[in-house]
Amino acid sequence: MPRMGRTLASRILFAVLGIMAVTMALGLALFTRVTSRATDQQAVEQTRSIAVSLGHVPQVATAVEAGDPDHVLRRLAEAVRRDSGASYVVIIGRDGTRYSHPNPALVGQKIEEPVVALDGRVHTGVDQGSLGRSANARAPIFDANGRPVGEVSVGLLESEVGVRFTHEMADVLLYTGAALALGVGASLLLARGIKRVTFGLEPAEIVALVQEREAMLHGIREGVLGIDPSGRINVLNDEARRLLDIQGAVLGQRVVDVLPDNRLRGVVTGEVAGQDLVAVTDEHLLVLNRMPVVVGERQAGWVVTIRDRTELEALLRQLDSVEGLTTALRAQEHEFSNRLHVLSVLLELGEVDEATRYSRHLQADTALVGEEVRSRIGSPVVTALLLAKTTVAAERDVRVRLDPASRLTTPVADEVPIVTVLGNLIDNAVDAVADDPRTVGDHPRGEVMVSLGCEDGVIQMSVSDTGPGISADRLDDVFVDGFSTKEPRRGMRRGVGLALVHRLVTRDGGTITATSPDGARFDVTLPMRRKEVVE
């Protein structure tokens, strides 16, 4: 069990108490100083008022001039002291003789200091008298002609003022104690509220969780993007930055202000719903999942996980192509075996001339297709692609033809874009024809026409098929990531090929359009990069 001094509640309690104690101490010291000054000033004003009032009483002046033979001044001074609350009221003659004093032994004796009020003014202050330190006021006693004949000294002892101050301080201390008690209660409530928000975790545990989260987020090879309920980014690890190509500080910004308006942003914001959704960028093929985050039965936002499937998808497609080619070669092997058997039987029967004629006929048919393509296409790589696709399509009972008007004899510097685009378009066309339910039982199932040309430095490609085509209302969606009218095959994700083709074509400065006059037709233009010929 953690020690009390280390818990969140105790930290908040001690912090609040410390702040309040320091604040109260400073406030109390300031209040004491101000109140003490105010109390002294109040005492001085009170004594001044008493002294001035008594100095203007005619009977006082008459008795002082007569030497107070009837001791009237003593009784009068005692009555005034008792009624006013003063500590002492001393009436002094011109010669300094005391006619009244709280200490009877001093009555009739002279004061040590001069009679200062004979100048006709009132003198106030805090000084040391015979009874102790006191707030004092000395006012002149005026006769009927307005001449000073003595003085009245009225004082409030410091002890009496201190009693009043103590009563006021008791109220202040009571208020201070109540405030401290309220602070303790408020700190405990605050600690409980914070503990509830932080799920009962202590600060050290929260720090450890944050460190572990940062280490995990930035140490995995999967992108993680956290979005709060208002659509702002609050978590973004390094892999997500790389895959989404996000630069700079974007935490706190809205997703719609960071990502461009495309399918990727639609998946991240939830406009496109589903699991394992595919999005294609200029560099990557991404698979995204968007899951809600619920904390304490509250919707806290969403977490988007991002996986890079670029290499895996390329390998799957390459494997699919190799498997298709292998199947075609196996079929050709079977066909060649049949032909060899025919030749063998003809020779066994002694039909040498017929066997020779049959052999030349097979050789002419095989060479004719390859020679026809090579005569129109100058690139050996593109030629090999067309021949391979023709062989694979034939195995699926689909005929692939090269438009007789096709010509591409100019050497090309980079054939990868042409091969990638053309290969994907032919594959899609062959799939559409081979899977067309309308042609079941037909031989062949349908036809794919390929056209290649070059004009004014622009390569023009066209692939059309006799398949079911594309409905007019879906023509604008064929290049969107994930769009497909076919069922997934062998773990490969449908709706990716055309999206990749579109990204590749537009990135290289070309164009691609889709139409569906009778079947599907795709027209592509690509800027040509001529191969430099070294002489």
Side-chain angles (χ1 to χ4, degrees), residues 283-322:
E283 301 293 336
H284 306 286
L285 186 149
L286 307 177
V287 178
L288 301 95
N289 280 287
R290 185 176 188 264
M291 302 298 292
V293 178
V294 179
V295 179
E297 299 182 357
R298 294 178 300 169
Q299 176 68 42
W302 294 268
V303 170
V304 181
T305 57
I306 309 167
R307 288 173 287 164
D308 187 2
R309 296 267 303 199
T310 307
E311 295 182 1
L312 180 59
E313 195 71 24
L315 288 174
L316 285 174
R317 291 180 175 275
Q318 185 177 2
L319 179 61
D320 184 68
S321 299
V322 171

Side-chain angles (χ1 to χ4, degrees), residues 12-30 172-173 175-184 187:
I12 295 177
L13 176 61
F14 292 146
V16 171
L17 288 180
I19 293 172
M20 293 190 66
V22 172
T23 304
M24 290 294 184
L26 293 176
L28 185 61
L30 180 62
V172 173
L173 291 176
Y175 165 77
T176 301
L180 286 174
L182 182 62
V184 171
S187 66

Side-chain angles (χ1 to χ4, degrees), residues 196-365:
R196 185 171 59 252
V197 172
T198 58
F199 304 100
L201 297 176
E202 294 296 333
E205 296 173 320
I206 296 175
V207 171
L209 284 178
V210 171
Q211 292 175 341
E212 292 172 3
R213 190 201 73 159
E214 290 299 310
M216 180 189 68
L217 284 178
H218 299 288
I220 60 177
R221 289 287 296 172
E222 186 169 278
V224 177
L225 178 66
I227 307 171
D228 65 15
S230 63
R232 298 183 181 276
I233 300 173
N234 53 19
V235 175
L236 182 68
N237 71 346
D238 296 336
E239 185 67 4
R241 281 185 179 274
R242 183 183 73 84
L243 296 177
L244 300 180
D245 192 24
I246 295 177
Q247 306 294 331
V250 297
L251 294 182
Q253 297 186 30
R254 296 176 20 173
V255 174
V256 295
D257 297 331
V258 175
L259 298 179
D261 186 10
N262 51 25
R263 175 181 169 84
L264 176 61
R265 190 176 83 178
V267 174
V268 173
T269 58
E271 297 176 8
V272 181
Q275 294 183 350
D276 291 337
L277 297 173
V278 177
V280 179
T281 67
D282 291 340
E283 301 293 336
H284 306 286
L285 186 149
L286 307 177
V287 178
L288 301 95
N289 280 287
R290 185 176 188 264
M291 302 298 292
V293 178
V294 179
V295 179
E297 299 182 357
R298 294 178 300 169
Q299 176 68 42
W302 294 268
V303 170
V304 181
T305 57
I306 309 167
R307 288 173 287 164
D308 187 2
R309 296 267 303 199
T310 307
E311 295 182 1
L312 180 59
E313 195 71 24
L315 288 174
L316 285 174
R317 291 180 175 275
Q318 185 177 2
L319 179 61
D320 184 68
S321 299
V322 171
E323 184 175 343
L325 184 58
T326 303
T327 302
L329 291 175
R330 188 181 298 114
Q332 285 188 343
E333 179 187 6
H334 181 70
E335 181 67 20
F336 290 152
S337 296
N338 291 334
R339 293 175 179 179
L340 287 175
H341 285 149
V342 171
L343 284 174
S344 177
V345 171
L346 288 174
L347 290 174
E348 288 179 0
L349 295 175
E351 300 289 341
V352 178
D353 293 337
E354 186 65 24
T356 303
R357 185 188 62 79
Y358 181 68
S359 176
R360 290 175 179 174
H361 174 72
L362 292 178
Q363 183 180 5
D365 282 348

Side-chain angles (χ1 to χ4, degrees), residues 68 71 74 97-110:
D68 191 23
H71 305 289
R74 183 186 301 178
T97 302
R98 298 186 182 95
Y99 293 103
S100 67
H101 197 278
N103 185 1
L106 296 180
V107 176
Q109 296 186 11
K110 293 185 178 181

